[in-house]
Amino acid sequence: QVQLVESGGGLVQAGGSLRLSCAASGRTFSRYAMGWFRQAPGKEREFVAAIGWSDSSTYYAGSVKGRFTISKDNAKNTVYLQMNSLKPEDTAVYYCAARLGRIDNGLGSYDYWGQGTQVTVSS
């Protein structure tokens, strides 16, 4: 069974940085794409970034492009989201997700989800 466990969230001031981690287990992920999504209070869950496990292709939402970087460590079966120049509007619960196939930004195309980690950016 696929398990995704996020960590690394916390409270940070605007302009600061955080690195989120997603430890994946239960499957060989070479044919999977991994994504990060976020959900702010009162808002729908939205796509942040995705990476292909085999080809390392990446895709970012326009709101985070140039500030966030998604990466992975194959040996550790872990995906990271480095978040720089954080803004108060980045405050949300961040979720890791996995889907079989190519990278995608569609919420409904992901099959497995973590429990989420809270990121709070103060102004």
Side-chain angles (χ1 to χ4, degrees):
Q1 185 172 348
V2 173
Q3 282 195 320
L4 304 174
V5 180
E6 304 97 333
S7 62
L11 174 64
V12 64
Q13 289 189 332
S17 298
L18 279 176
R19 189 178 79 158
L20 305 183
S21 299
C22 172
S25 62
R27 195 65 56 91
T28 300
F29 289 94
S30 59
R31 296 171 59 198
Y32 279 72
M34 306 296 292
W36 284 99
F37 291 77
R38 66 186 181 186
Q39 187 166 18
K43 294 189 176 181
E44 294 186 351
R45 194 171 299 189
E46 64 176 6
F47 171 78
V48 175
I51 187 167
W53 203 277
S54 60
D55 64 2
S56 299
S57 57
T58 58
Y59 183 62
Y60 295 92
S63 59
V64 306
K65 197 170 185 179
R67 300 188 298 123
F68 291 10
T69 302
I70 189 170
S71 63
K72 59 181 175 64
D73 184 328
N74 290 349
K76 296 182 178 180
N77 255 19
T78 299
V79 177
Y80 303 99
L81 185 68
Q82 178 66 44
M83 306 186 294
N84 298 329
S85 302
L86 282 162
K87 305 175 182 179
E89 51 263 45
D90 294 318
T91 295
V93 177
Y94 283 71
Y95 297 90
C96 177
R99 70 179 301 271
L100 184 63
R102 301 175 64 181
I103 58 174
D104 193 280
N105 64 350
L107 185 70
S109 67
Y110 285 78
D111 303 304
Y112 305 100
W113 293 85
Q115 81 289 349
T117 185
Q118 176 71 48
V119 171
T120 303
V121 184
S122 64
S123 57

